[in-house]
Amino acid sequence: MLIYYRFNNFCSFNCESEFSMSAPSGKVKKRFPDNYVETAEGFDLMKSAVIVGENAGGKSNFINSLKYLKSLFVTNSQVKSVRPYVNAASLNDKKNPVQKFELCFRSDNGKVYVYHLHLNESGIVYEELQLLKKRNVVASSLFKAEKQKGRVWFASAKEANGLSERVDKFLAGDSIGLLVSKFALLGDEDALAVVEWMTEKLYPESLASDMADDVIRQDADMHILEEQRYLEIFRMVDYSICGIELDREKPYSKTVIIRKGENGKDFRRELQMDSTGVREFFAWAVHIFRVVYENKVVFADEMDRVLNPILSDRVLAFVNGAEHKGQFIFTTHNVLHLDLKRYMKEQIYFVTKNREQLTSEMYSLSDFPEVRYEITKIYEFYMKGILGGTAFE
């Protein structure tokens, strides 16, 4: 499960931004017993969160920063910052600005890792993997590498695995692949756990327009689409749906949706001929399945046109009510999600853009101590610009 994510100098973000899934301490979390999971390491981690903000405020850039970080683990290609992803202001201020990423998460092996990665156009500037045994305890370094004075590297690794003897040859003028990925190839258990979590557990997603023709995506989703539990999730969009006939060649267009009318007669329609909301939720229901039944961490972008207020209530009640160790985070423009009867303040985030400097900022509703749980109309504060995240702030 994700504990926190920090990043800096990515697209519209030019200062350190943090997104946390840690539940608050004290009495507040007792009001929302279904909204978080307790861990043996002392972390109480939230199952869901919502990110609100204006159009072009930076919500998608936040999701894309996670996509980019994950891509470095998936492709194992040359590791360096990509100019279109670097903040424009930092490019003007510095010759070769550094992008920073820091991810803290609990792996399936029960260990908590903190992964650091700093990049510039030349390659990796700093990379470190740390182990965190308990909350509020200083993390211990498993291995790290730091580029100093252009070419000099300092590296350390766990002597027990004999990795330190092989570090130098991996770092000698080589910017292909992450250090943690190379240690994973050598069989290091901690590195393997990190790579597996990044590639198999983390899902920063947006709804691609060409999804119906994405063969790789279809293959990855097929085992879920065949599940009866998936149908139960999909039916949240329309309870008249009683079944599907899955098309294995083109599941996201040719699958037949079966509804039952009042007279008991079946109505059959191809997915591509159904409503936009049904077609899109057919895809997003796969990710909700991943959260609840496969313990994935899903960041869902562009959910507004799918999750209307009634459907969002159903989805969130399902995600929070089920026992699992997955997490569902989604961006939205729907101010009705600003509801302290459903969420803890720590579960509501805002992204806003400074209209003069054109830079984005991320912060939590918990940063506003004057906002109390007795206040029911949080969206009114938001619409007036008091909480930021609006185009006319």
Side-chain angles (χ1 to χ4, degrees), residues 334-349:
N334 187 350
V335 298
L336 295 179
H337 286 292
L338 303 179
D339 181 1
L340 293 181
K341 293 182 178 179
R342 182 190 310 162
Y343 298 104
M344 292 179 276
K345 291 200 294 184
E346 287 76 8
Q347 290 177 275
I348 299 175
Y349 270 79

Side-chain angles (χ1 to χ4, degrees), residues 190-208:
D190 294 309
L192 281 167
V194 171
V195 172
E196 180 182 2
W197 193 90
M198 289 295 301
T199 56
E200 302 296 332
K201 291 294 185 180
L202 180 63
Y203 277 80
E205 294 288 333
S206 58
L207 197 62

